[in-house]
Amino acid sequence: MSMLTLGVLFIGFTLLVMFSGMSIAFALGTVAIVFMYFFMPAASLDTVAQNVYEEMASITLVSIPLFILKGAAIGRSRAGKDLYDALHVWLGKVPGGLGVANIFACALFAAMAGSSPATCSAIGSAGIPEMRKRGYSPGFAAGLIAAGGTLGILLPPSITMILYSVAAEQSLGRLFLAAIGPGILLVSMFSVYAVIRFRKEYDSALRVFEVNKTDHPILVRQTYTMQQKISALPRVLPFLILLIGVMIALYGGYATPAETAGLGAVFAFVLIAVIYKMWRIKDLYPLLDVSIKESVMLMFIIGMSLLFANVMSYLHISQSAAQAIVDLHASRWVLLFAILLMVIVLGFFLPPVSIILMTAPIILPPLRDAGFDLIWFGVVMTIIMETGLIHPPVGLNIFVIKNIAPDINLSEIIWGVMPFVIIMFVAVILLCFVPEIAMGLPALVMGLSLG
């Protein structure tokens, strides 16, 4: 059988199994085992369990369930609402300050929890009703939270980044640092859009008021005293200190990612026990339950994805695909565009975790040969995958928003997120022209070149 025929058969069977409705982990495992049975030595089937275990026995991967545990502690407490309330009070005088507060709250919460769905749920459950009460259009309110939630896979600690560092064999610390600049860029661009969109809706409501004398809640400005601003901080500051402490421990070289994640989880539980009195079994059980379920699901996907990638490598499918890409002799930017387009298409159907682990063996060697820094590409790829969280047909964050705001039409949510998808593409273009946005901080902190 020719390599082309084998590759087409492998891809076709993978798509068939995935579209059958089987869960991703079992689908990838099924494809891997079937091809091991027919195209690899019989003895290879005897080592499936050992191979999966060895692939998951990475000290970097240990940090994943610990970061999930930390995120569950913060996400299931009132920390998200308190953070949102504090930012709302402090940004009250800014035009569109409520929308900007939601963006900042999503960014900070994402950095503490490391989860896009958790960020959408925690901030959106408080932010969307408040924005709608203040006259923000439903699509605008939903789009702000859905897009802000995507920062959960970009800003450290990002589970997606952890997996990319394992798949690409790159420094996790450098990757986390490289994500901070683009994360700040996206927060800034989202905030600018929020102000512009607010002014547009405000002016529209003002024109209606001048003609019909019809009041609109968006025209009402609410101000807060300094005492109210100060009183909003005590519950938020401990979590911000935790975030800063985790960053210092990780980037200062005081602890490994796994140790940092463990310390973060412990201190997060201490904070929710002290601040929110969540220390009883009935309070902690749901946190532990969701952490175990999510960790097992994710680790299962990782194990099966890596087994899937190993089978591709053994059958020389990934190497042949990479060589075929190189043999096209396309310019490095055409190569990058084609690969990112493929990631966008995969994002229609697959979550970021699966995209990274399935495509890394194929796309990374040609990119490295073309002279692209794989740390820089990891950031760009993550932003592209962020768009997959808010565009149809899958758009996980869209359905999270629909769940917490069922009265908003799905079409309004989709149209509300589209401007943010465009903003993310603009950010990617900026990163292509100015890679120092991502690579400047790692070079400054870790003394590495920008190349």
Side-chain angles (χ1 to χ4, degrees), residues 174-189:
R174 190 180 177 211
L175 191 61
F176 275 179
L177 283 171
I180 293 176
I184 294 173
L185 174 66
L186 282 178
V187 169
S188 302
M189 295 174 74

Side-chain angles (χ1 to χ4, degrees), residues 11 71 347 351 392 426:
I11 294 171
V426 172

Side-chain angles (χ1 to χ4, degrees), residues 6-16 31 35 308 312 317 362:
L6 182 61
V8 171
L9 182 62
F10 189 86
I11 294 171
F13 186 62
T14 300
L15 293 175
L16 179 65
V31 172
F35 274 79
F308 179 89
M312 273 202 303
I317 294 173
I362 297 174

Side-chain angles (χ1 to χ4, degrees), residues 198-208 210 218-219:
F198 171 83
R199 293 303 297 264
K200 182 179 178 180
E201 294 194 355
Y202 181 89
D203 291 343
S204 177
L206 186 59
R207 286 193 296 270
V208 172
E210 290 172 347
I218 203 171
L219 300 175

Side-chain angles (χ1 to χ4, degrees), residues 62-392:
V62 172
S63 62
I64 290 179
L66 294 173
F67 276 128
I68 289 175
L69 184 62
K70 170 174 167 277
I74 296 172
R76 296 284 174 134
S77 68
R78 284 178 47 85
K81 185 178 186 308
D82 285 342
L83 176 64
Y84 162 75
D85 288 342
L87 287 168
H88 176 200
V89 170
W90 278 90
L91 294 172
K93 288 188 176 181
V94 177
L98 181 57
V100 176
N102 277 279
I103 294 295
F104 274 69
C106 284
L108 290 172
F109 191 86
M112 289 189 290
S115 169
S116 288
T119 301
C120 281
S121 180
I123 305 300
S125 58
I128 291 179
E130 187 68 21
M131 283 190 285
R132 296 195 64 190
K133 186 173 72 174
R134 299 295 175 84
Y136 285 58
S137 63
F140 181 28
L144 280 170
I145 299 298
T150 65
L151 297 168
I153 69 168
L154 178 63
L155 293 171
S158 162
I159 292 172
T160 301
M161 288 285 193
I162 295 172
L163 295 179
Y164 179 85
S165 75
V166 172
E169 298 180 345
Q170 298 294 312
S171 164
L172 179 60
R174 190 180 177 211
L175 191 61
F176 275 179
L177 283 171
I180 293 176
I184 294 173
L185 174 66
L186 282 178
V187 169
S188 302
M189 295 174 74
F190 288 172
S191 299
V192 170
Y193 170 76
V195 172
I196 294 172
R197 176 67 181 269
F198 171 83
R199 293 303 297 264
K200 182 179 178 180
E201 294 194 355
Y202 181 89
D203 291 343
S204 177
L206 186 59
R207 286 193 296 270
V208 172
F209 175 77
E210 290 172 347
V211 174
N212 301 326
K213 302 302 178 185
T214 304
D215 288 331
H216 193 286
I218 203 171
L219 300 175
V220 179
R221 293 292 186 92
Q222 186 171 357
T223 58
Y224 297 93
T225 65
M226 182 55 67
Q227 182 180 358
Q228 288 175 306
K229 292 179 179 181
I230 297 299
S231 64
L233 296 178
R235 287 193 170 191
V236 176
L237 286 178
F239 290 98
L240 295 181
I241 293 171
L242 171 63
L243 172 62
I244 295 170
V246 166
M247 296 300 179
I248 292 174
L250 182 60
Y251 300 132
Y254 300 107
T256 66
E259 292 168 345
T260 303
L263 287 172
V266 170
F267 284 119
F269 271 82
V270 171
L271 287 178
I272 65 171
V274 172
I275 297 174
Y276 301 111
K277 310 302 180 186
M278 295 178 63
W279 52 268
R280 299 175 181 82
I281 294 297
K282 67 176 182 178
D283 299 322
L284 299 181
Y285 178 80
L287 310 182
L288 300 174
D289 181 59
V290 72
S291 298
I292 291 173
K293 288 180 179 178
E294 189 172 340
S295 298
V296 170
M297 175 194 70
L298 196 55
M299 295 302 287
F300 215 99
I301 292 175
I302 292 169
M304 293 298 103
S305 295
L306 293 173
L307 180 66
F308 179 89
N310 278 346
V311 172
M312 273 202 303
S313 178
Y314 182 90
L315 298 177
H316 293 277
I317 294 173
S318 55
Q319 296 93 323
S320 298
Q323 188 61 46
I325 294 174
V326 173
D327 290 342
L328 293 175
H329 299 293
S331 73
R332 64 198 300 260
W333 295 109
V334 171
L335 171 66
L336 178 67
F337 176 78
I339 288 175
L340 292 180
L341 183 62
M342 179 186 71
V343 173
I344 292 172
V345 173
L346 290 175
F348 290 162
F349 313 103
L350 298 173
V353 170
S354 298
I355 294 174
I356 289 173
L357 296 175
M358 289 174 62
T359 62
I362 297 174
I363 65 176
L364 295 184
L367 287 167
R368 185 186 292 110
D369 294 340
F372 287 105
D373 189 306
L374 295 188
I375 292 288
W376 172 87
F377 175 74
V379 174
V380 171
M381 183 181 184
T382 301
I383 295 175
I384 291 295
M385 291 188 295
E386 281 185 292
T387 67
L389 294 173
I390 57 174
H391 69 55

